[in-house]
Amino acid sequence: MSPPPAHTSARELAAWVRAGGSAEQLIEQRYQAIRLRDPAINSVRQLLLSRALARARDIDGQVSRGIDPGPLAGVPFGAKELFDVRHLVTLAGSRVRATAPAAERDAAAIERLEAAGAILLATLNMDEFAYGFTCENAHYGATRNPHDLGRIAGGSSGGSAAVVAASLLPLSLGSDTNGSIRVPAALCGVFGLKPTYGRVSRRGSFPFVDSLDHVGPFARNARDLAVAFDALQGPDSEDPVCASRPADTTAFALEEPLGALRVAVLGGWFAQSAESGALQAVQRVAHALGATQTVQLDEAGAARAAAFCLSAAEGGALHLPALRRDAAVYDPATRDRLLAGALQPARIITQAQRMRRLFLRQALQQLQEFEVLLAPSTPFAATPVGEAHTILQGQRWLVRAGLGLYTQPLSFIGLPVLSVPVVMPGSLPLGVQLIAAPWQERRLLQLAAWLEDRGIIAAPQSAASNG
Amino acid sequence: MSESALDEAWLEASAAALGLPVSEAWHANVLLHARLLESLAREFIDREFDPELPAAAVYRL
């Protein structure tokens, strides 16, 4: 019984393994596919074949003894290179940490996916220390977009998005501080969930901005994403930020009727500076939902500014000892921003935190009236690799900064946001953010499944996935 | 003293105070980013917020 083909969903792969298909053969198949096709994409940093095969044999043994390995039985996945993997140095996309000690245990997110039966096969490329939106890494090269290899994958979790977009792996893990799950998910045409701040444990993930960091999954469809999220979520006493509230499982709810849903489109900040395709993608989703109202979050621009400054200042403070020692080893694009951040006054942090509370209050008021808000994930589609600027409505924008315009204000206040790929024939992939009140991930995933069942959203097959 | 000379002096003094080795070759880019941060910070740094809005970094939703 040969393993199922590349585009098979994670749930179908798990069903195949649970029915007696060989997880070991599945891992071999995916390993060979990555070796053959990833050099053109550069999504993978390290393949963990021995570890994955040992785990696959264990899964196969469980099945043969009548034990259910879990809802992700035998499903291979990858993790952004900032998650601890036992016996490996957590490089976080940098050479600065090359001499750091190896991790003694896996990150919580890896442990949880593996507890559900999944198998870690690869670590994945990223912007250095997660400080970027393009995944152009000076040390390890750019990750290329599987839909157009001349273009960026987006970042910072670019490897996590590209490996799923190319159907090399059905699931991956990333992190999102200012948009690092949603931006690459949008540019690569896959689903990416940034859960509520505190919903998923960050234990064993290399930090960037402690007060903004989130961990979340990527997948090619809403139902796979829900199964992965269910495995990931829940309290963790080893992460002081992780909420004590019990897990709120979602996968079963995706088969239930959606029911009435109050949806509005975010205007103002979230409609300025976007190329027409990004706004059309939002309108396509809004039209399918009968959403006719537009609302504004008046402080979104100031919130984005505060998130930007907070990231530089907190990130700069985190890296201060390493910058004193090894500044010349950093990617110059990362180093100069961290140095500028390290020199900021403490007041920038305290005022940014107050700005966060103010903006959160405003957003929660809108979310009392509307259950879901819609906004573009990015103002524009993937740009060519190496292009520093882009022109939007006659204005010149830095690509690295501009990609986060619509994601930064939302991660700043910790709301759950799901970036979904909108079907736009003939165009590069574009994403729409589905935004809800804290802890309402289930509603977002339900909505995504509903839209997917009606052909409004879908992960397109990439040219790079045919092989 | 020109504005750029003042910026240079600020960068050198601040970096020295923090023990940061900022090579001269990096000055232009570091100052570019510092000016960007300064311009963005103007949107909130001097605002008078409701005193009930805490500045705590870690928060519970």
Side-chain angles (χ1 to χ4, degrees):
Chain A
M1 193 160 59
S2 299
H7 304 300
T8 309
S9 72
R11 287 158 300 121
E12 288 167 331
L13 290 177
W16 180 78
V17 169
R18 290 158 103 180
S22 164
E24 189 177 348
Q25 279 183 29
L26 178 58
I27 292 297
E28 288 278 11
Q29 180 212 48
R30 294 307 165 105
Y31 170 77
Q32 294 300 342
I34 290 171
R35 295 246 308 172
L36 183 70
R37 293 180 1 232
D38 192 60
I41 301 167
N42 192 33
S43 64
V44 170
R45 286 278 300 117
Q46 286 194 67
L47 278 164
L48 312 172
L49 183 62
S50 306
R51 170 187 164 130
L53 285 176
R55 172 121 182 91
R57 289 183 200 112
D58 181 45
I59 296 279
D60 288 339
Q62 287 182 44
V63 173
S64 67
R65 294 193 302 277
I67 299 167
D68 182 353
L72 292 170
V75 173
F77 73 99
K80 188 176 184 177
E81 202 186 32
L82 56 62
F83 291 99
D84 284 352
V85 176
R86 193 164 170 253
H87 300 320
L88 295 186
V89 174
T90 308
L91 292 173
S94 182
R95 288 198 198 283
V96 174
R97 289 183 46 78
T99 56
E104 292 179 359
R105 62 190 282 211
D106 292 338
I110 291 173
E111 282 182 0
R112 287 189 178 192
L113 284 184
E114 290 207 327
I119 300 175
L120 179 68
L121 179 57
T123 60
L124 303 168
N125 201 19
M126 58 184 285
D127 288 274
E128 189 186 41
F129 292 120
Y131 202 177
F133 286 128
T134 64
C135 207
E136 294 170 292
N137 186 305
H139 309 294
Y140 307 118
T143 293
R144 290 171 180 272
N145 195 310
H147 296 279
D148 180 342
L149 296 174
R151 293 176 185 269
I152 59 169
S156 64
S157 310
S160 308
V163 80
V164 170
S167 296
L168 294 171
L169 294 172
L171 292 176
S172 65
L173 283 173
S175 66
D176 189 315
T177 303
N178 283 297
S180 285
I181 288 175
R182 292 160 290 158
V183 168
L187 301 195
C188 288
V190 297
F191 293 72
L193 175 63
K194 185 205 78 62
T196 309
Y197 184 73
R199 175 69 100 174
V200 173
S201 173
R202 311 179 305 182
R203 199 261 300 152
S205 61
F206 194 85
F208 170 25
V209 183
D210 194 42
S211 68
L212 295 175
D213 291 340
H214 304 71
V215 164
F218 291 83
R220 290 187 59 81
N221 63 73
R223 288 174 173 83
D224 280 1
L225 200 68
V227 175
F229 171 65
D230 285 349
L232 289 167
Q233 62 165 319
D236 181 359
S237 59
E238 293 185 84
D239 174 3
V241 165
C242 197
S244 56
R245 66 169 45 222
D248 179 23
T249 51
T250 62
F252 75 92
L254 275 56
E255 310 313 323
E256 294 177 350
L258 183 63
L261 191 67
R262 300 182 314 280
V263 181
V265 172
L266 278 178
W269 174 264
F270 295 93
Q272 294 166 10
S273 313
E275 67 178 18
S276 60
L279 299 177
Q280 283 165 15
V282 174
Q283 284 310 318
R284 182 155 163 72
V285 173
H287 180 73
L289 294 167
T292 54
Q293 294 203 61
T294 298
V295 297
Q296 293 205 28
L297 298 174
D298 292 333
E299 298 286 1
R304 185 257 179 176
F308 198 104
C309 294
L310 190 65
S311 299
E314 265 197 59
L318 174 73
H319 283 272
L320 194 61
L323 286 167
R324 285 180 179 137
R325 197 176 55 238
D326 289 325
V329 185
Y330 279 73
D331 177 338
T334 316
R335 178 198 61 217
D336 296 345
R337 286 178 293 157
L338 288 174
L339 284 169
L343 301 175
Q344 298 307 304
R347 181 169 168 78
I348 215 167
I349 294 182
T350 54
Q351 286 291 91
Q353 297 291 5
R354 291 191 177 98
M355 185 67 232
R356 168 168 20 208
R357 303 294 179 134
L358 179 71
F359 186 55
L360 177 61
R361 196 184 271 177
Q362 187 181 86
L364 291 180
Q365 277 171 4
Q366 289 292 5
L367 286 165
Q368 280 182 345
E369 195 170 341
F370 297 99
E371 280 177 90
V372 175
L373 301 172
L374 307 176
S377 298
T378 60
F380 46 89
T383 51
V385 171
E387 190 169 275
H389 296 89
T390 192
I391 305 292
L392 279 178
Q393 298 180 355
Q395 258 194 306
R396 196 163 182 257
W397 285 89
L398 275 170
V399 170
R400 279 177 188 260
L403 280 169
L405 279 180
Y406 304 144
T407 53
Q408 277 185 283
L410 302 169
S411 30
F412 188 48
I413 51 175
L415 302 178
V417 186
L418 171 48
S419 180
V420 295
V422 179
V423 175
M424 305 276 283
S427 92
L428 286 164
L430 283 162
V432 166
Q433 296 185 93
L434 313 178
I435 305 149
W439 317 113
Q440 298 305 310
E441 289 90 347
R442 183 196 290 177
R443 205 66 173 133
L444 294 181
L445 288 159
Q446 259 189 320
L447 175 57
W450 187 92
L451 290 165
E452 197 175 16
D453 290 346
R454 282 150 187 81
I456 307 299
I457 63 174
Q461 288 198 9
S462 70
S465 67
N466 299 318
Chain B
M1 218 177 195
S2 69
E3 196 175 331
S4 64
L6 279 172
D7 284 352
E8 284 283 343
W10 167 79
L11 175 56
E12 281 180 19
S14 306
L18 286 171
L20 284 169
V22 183
S23 148
E24 238 181 276
W26 310 340
H27 278 203
N29 243 343
V30 174
L31 283 171
L32 182 77
H33 291 299
R35 287 188 198 108
L36 175 63
L37 291 173
E38 190 187 2
S39 73
L40 288 169
R42 276 191 214 118
E43 296 199 37
F44 61 90
I45 194 99
D46 289 323
R47 267 171 98 143
E48 286 187 23
F49 289 106
D50 177 344
E52 285 182 16
L53 289 173
V58 172
Y59 61 109
R60 295 273 182 227
L61 282 164

